Amino acid sequence: MSVFQNLWAELVSEFTATFITEQRYLLFLNGLKTTLIVAFAAAALGVVLGFIIAYIRTTHDQTGHLRILNALAKLYLTVIRGTPTMIQLLIMYFVIFGSVKIDKLPVAIMAFGINSGAYVAEIFRSGIMSIPPGQMEAARSLGLNYTQATWKIILPQAVKNVLPALGNEVIVLLKETSISGYIALQDLTKAGDIVRSRTYSAFFPYISVAVIYLVLVLCLEKLLGYMEGRLARSDR
Amino acid sequence: MTDKIIEVRGLKKTYGGEKKRGYKGLTPTLDVLKGIDIDIYRGDVVCLIGPSGCGKSTFLRCLNHLEKPTGGTIKFEGTEVNEAHIDKLRQKMGMVFQHFNLFPHMTVKENLCMAPVMLKLKTREEASQKADELLARVGLSDKANVYPNSLSGGQQQRIAIARALAMDPDVILFDEPTSALDPEMVGEVLALMKELAHTGITMLVVTHEMGFAREVSNRVIFIDEGVIQEDEPPEELFTNPKNPRLKAFLSKML
């Protein structure tokens, strides 16, 4: 009996030390806010960037136009996918914006967004290539030009096909923002870390942070499931 | 019936011969069409027959530049078919594919209305009215608001024909329209095409349906080895074949 009482007392005091003392829950809340802003702004940037890159790459492959842009897009993919995200974040903050006084938040958004864009580009490209060539032929045979056919016929189907992979990328991105602490941006992970260094107890802060990430991902999965359901109307 | 609608001179198509990664030099070449000359007149119902791989589908797809010819000229209604105004010409040259190629993310009616509205040939109301008429004509009025994937192959192909008709084309190209269908659905599509032929629209049909060719067309063209071997009215071609290749082909088909 007393074992459980002791354990309970321990937990309560750990909880108090982690969240209540010195209003530490505010650290977590602000960290959560930063994480969400970075993740969603970067995801938006990544999707826009990825879409543009994928459009350039497939247009080049199918029509032979846009050669220079295609070469640039390939270079971008190689560099971004060939180097660690953390190094890209550090280079963005300490090298590219090293001599400028700039807020850390937009730097993190840019670093993660540019990183994610490379992966999203390939996701979109695979989606576009997954549409049977007959769809483009049918659209063109009706007199639509390449751009009209792409926007009206190919892309709507492609986006539907890549939604699971795109959701996956957003989940990965959300968790990847946990390295923001390396440029001293106080995201959720950093908040847990700060609390750990104050309380000298690692268990409660880190487990709490893990649970919050898990809940965020669960919410994302729900949202994605809903969107897939909406887009599945045209299936049998 | 002397109004020339399509004029083909020396049409050639060669595949390969390109620079490609993984090949030293150029890719191997294959001459599919070796110089096709033909005139199609308004109101013609032309069936193209021939052994598989003879180039009849390639010929049809060259007419609206879904395949780029490597030589020769094609004139459609007096204008030369080339990249500059291909989109304009395709509006008047419909196409029906072996695998239907309906747009699965649009309802049947949207499939019919999309191109005329997008290309500003019709207002939304006009297109919608035309779509209703066409759906009634192909006997699928009740399917206006369903998605194509829920339809049978025969129904999908009838919708595909309606989609081509929605553009008010002068010519329709049929690329083996019944080859991907279950046998019991072939009839409904052929019946629709037959009815269409009687309306006076110009049709070019690549087909293996000899019965249809014999009954409906006014010219049957036999292609083999990349050239036109025979161009005759069906009675003549089927009852009295002279070309030995055609004889061999027909003996296998009938």
Side-chain angles (χ1 to χ4, degrees), chain A:
Chain A
M1 193 64 189
S2 68
V3 177
F4 286 110
Q5 273 174 345
N6 280 348
L7 198 62
W8 179 248
E10 184 87 0
L11 275 176
V12 168
S13 89
E14 281 261 346
F15 180 86
T16 316
T18 305
F19 289 109
I20 312 297
T21 316
E22 294 175 3
Q23 291 188 307
R24 285 177 186 146
Y25 64 91
L26 284 178
L27 270 173
F28 284 99
L29 275 181
N30 284 328
L32 174 64
K33 197 175 112 191
T34 305
T35 290
L36 285 176
I37 292 173
V38 172
F40 284 105
L45 179 62
V47 167
V48 172
L49 210 55
F51 183 82
I52 296 169
I53 299 291
Y55 191 79
I56 292 170
R57 296 265 287 124
T58 46
T59 302
H60 172 267
D61 288 352
Q62 286 178 17
T63 67
H65 300 148
L66 309 178
R67 276 178 70 171
I68 295 165
L69 283 175
N70 183 56
L72 285 174
K74 273 174 133 168
L75 179 69
Y76 161 78
L77 291 179
T78 307
V79 170
I80 296 296
R81 291 197 300 176
T83 54
T85 317
M86 195 182 349
I87 301 296
Q88 291 165 20
L89 179 70
L90 293 172
I91 289 175
M92 185 67 83
Y93 186 61
F94 291 107
V95 180
I96 296 173
F97 291 107
S99 54
V100 200
K101 203 173 143 40
I102 186 170
D103 205 16
K104 292 176 190 110
L105 194 71
V107 173
I109 290 171
M110 248 187 285
F112 288 118
I114 289 172
N115 177 268
S116 180
Y119 296 94
V120 172
E122 291 297 270
I123 291 173
F124 272 132
R125 199 164 70 89
S126 71
I128 293 171
M129 289 194 310
S130 75
I131 306 303
Q135 290 289 308
M136 177 59 92
E137 287 181 356
R140 296 300 306 271
S141 81
L142 289 165
L144 271 63
N145 62 34
Y146 176 80
T147 313
Q148 289 168 326
T150 302
W151 281 90
K152 190 76 186 171
I153 304 302
I154 306 300
L155 289 178
Q157 298 183 58
V159 167
K160 184 181 136 187
N161 285 359
V162 301
L163 211 58
L166 212 54
N168 196 34
E169 173 59 24
V170 175
I171 288 171
V172 169
L173 177 61
L174 174 74
K175 293 184 298 179
E176 199 148 68
T177 59
S178 62
I179 59 170
S180 299
Y182 277 89
I183 60 166
L185 183 67
Q186 289 198 12
D187 72 325
L188 184 57
T189 304
K190 188 73 183 171
D193 206 36
I194 291 170
V195 172
R196 197 247 329 141
S197 70
R198 300 252 177 92
T199 59
Y200 300 106
S201 161
F203 177 82
F204 223 94
Y206 284 157
I207 295 291
S208 308
V209 167
V211 168
I212 297 172
Y213 276 113
L214 185 64
V215 170
L216 290 179
V217 171
L218 286 176
C219 293
L220 265 179
E221 281 175 355
K222 262 265 179 296
L223 181 73
L224 288 161
Y226 172 75
M227 283 165 71
E228 272 179 51
R230 280 291 300 273
L231 288 173
R233 276 178 315 168
S234 59
D235 299 338
R236 281 166 197 270

Side-chain angles (χ1 to χ4, degrees), chain A residues 74 132-149 151-154 156-157 160 233-236, chain B residues 21 61 64 66 86-87 90-91 93-95 97 101-106 111 114-115 118-119 147 149-151 163-164 167:
Chain A
K74 273 174 133 168
Q135 290 289 308
M136 177 59 92
E137 287 181 356
R140 296 300 306 271
S141 81
L142 289 165
L144 271 63
N145 62 34
Y146 176 80
T147 313
Q148 289 168 326
W151 281 90
K152 190 76 186 171
I153 304 302
I154 306 300
Q157 298 183 58
K160 184 181 136 187
R233 276 178 315 168
S234 59
D235 299 338
R236 281 166 197 270
Chain B
R21 250 190 302 185
R61 290 162 57 83
N64 67 351
L66 282 184
I86 185 66
D87 294 325
R90 280 177 182 150
Q91 294 177 10
M93 204 192 274
M95 183 143 190
F97 298 86
N101 298 347
L102 293 176
F103 307 129
H105 61 301
M106 298 177 178
N111 265 278
M114 185 275 298
M118 191 162 193
L119 299 168
Y147 288 93
N149 283 342
S150 63
L151 301 176
R163 179 177 68 181
M167 294 292 291

Side-chain angles (χ1 to χ4, degrees), chain A residues 141-143, chain B residues 5-6 60 62-65 74-76 81 88-95 164 167-173:
Chain A
S141 81
L142 289 165
Chain B
I5 192 162
I6 299 175
L60 200 71
C62 279
L63 292 180
N64 67 351
H65 269 222
I74 301 166
K75 275 187 184 172
F76 176 60
V81 178
K88 203 81 190 156
L89 294 181
R90 280 177 182 150
Q91 294 177 10
K92 287 282 152 206
M93 204 192 274
M95 183 143 190
M167 294 292 291
D168 299 318
D170 294 334
V171 178
I172 302 188
L173 312 174

Side-chain angles (χ1 to χ4, degrees), chain B residues 27-142:
Chain B
T27 54
T29 60
L30 178 68
D31 296 322
V32 182
L33 300 179
K34 300 171 185 167
I36 299 247
D37 299 298
I38 192 173
D39 293 326
I40 308 288
Y41 298 94
R42 208 173 283 277
D44 269 354
V45 176
V46 181
C47 279
L48 300 143
I49 60 171
S52 51
C54 71
K56 55 195 188 303
S57 278
T58 304
F59 167 66
L60 200 71
R61 290 162 57 83
C62 279
L63 292 180
N64 67 351
H65 269 222
L66 282 184
E67 300 286 350
K68 306 278 168 282
T70 38
T73 58
I74 301 166
K75 275 187 184 172
F76 176 60
E77 298 184 330
T79 337
E80 188 167 335
V81 178
N82 60 35
E83 281 313 293
H85 38 254
I86 185 66
D87 294 325
K88 203 81 190 156
L89 294 181
R90 280 177 182 150
Q91 294 177 10
K92 287 282 152 206
M93 204 192 274
M95 183 143 190
V96 174
F97 298 86
Q98 183 176 356
H99 296 285
F100 334 133
N101 298 347
L102 293 176
F103 307 129
H105 61 301
M106 298 177 178
T107 64
V108 163
K109 196 163 175 181
E110 285 164 355
N111 265 278
L112 266 60
C113 296
M114 185 275 298
V117 173
M118 191 162 193
L119 299 168
K120 300 200 167 62
L121 305 172
K122 291 190 173 85
T123 65
R124 199 161 282 281
E125 292 72 37
E126 286 166 358
S128 167
Q129 201 187 342
K130 174 92 184 176
D132 288 336
E133 280 169 34
L134 287 169
L135 287 175
R137 189 159 154 201
V138 301
L140 291 168
S141 294
D142 53 329

Side-chain angles (χ1 to χ4, degrees), chain B residues 96-233:
Chain B
V96 174
F97 298 86
Q98 183 176 356
H99 296 285
F100 334 133
N101 298 347
L102 293 176
F103 307 129
H105 61 301
M106 298 177 178
T107 64
V108 163
K109 196 163 175 181
E110 285 164 355
N111 265 278
L112 266 60
C113 296
M114 185 275 298
V117 173
M118 191 162 193
L119 299 168
K120 300 200 167 62
L121 305 172
K122 291 190 173 85
T123 65
R124 199 161 282 281
E125 292 72 37
E126 286 166 358
S128 167
Q129 201 187 342
K130 174 92 184 176
D132 288 336
E133 280 169 34
L134 287 169
L135 287 175
R137 189 159 154 201
V138 301
L140 291 168
S141 294
D142 53 329
K143 303 291 185 191
N145 296 314
V146 305
Y147 288 93
N149 283 342
S150 63
L151 301 176
S152 73
Q155 290 172 328
Q156 290 198 42
Q157 193 61 298
R158 280 145 69 196
I159 298 295
I161 294 171
R163 179 177 68 181
L165 289 171
M167 294 292 291
D168 299 318
D170 294 334
V171 178
I172 302 188
L173 312 174
F174 293 84
D175 189 4
E176 303 199 22
T178 56
S179 299
L181 295 175
D182 291 338
E184 76 263 31
M185 293 169 183
V186 170
E188 59 186 86
V189 171
L190 290 182
L192 174 61
M193 289 168 63
K194 191 172 159 187
E195 186 207 310
L196 211 57
H198 294 312
T199 64
I201 191 165
T202 312
M203 293 165 59
L204 273 80
V205 187
V206 170
T207 188
H208 295 287
E209 298 290 333
M210 295 302 143
F212 176 83
R214 187 167 201 158
E215 192 183 346
V216 180
S217 63
N218 67 328
R219 287 166 74 185
V220 178
I221 289 171
F222 174 65
I223 300 182
D224 195 16
E225 304 269 302
V227 291
I228 291 179
Q229 308 269 1
E230 292 279 330
D231 179 358
E232 304 273 355

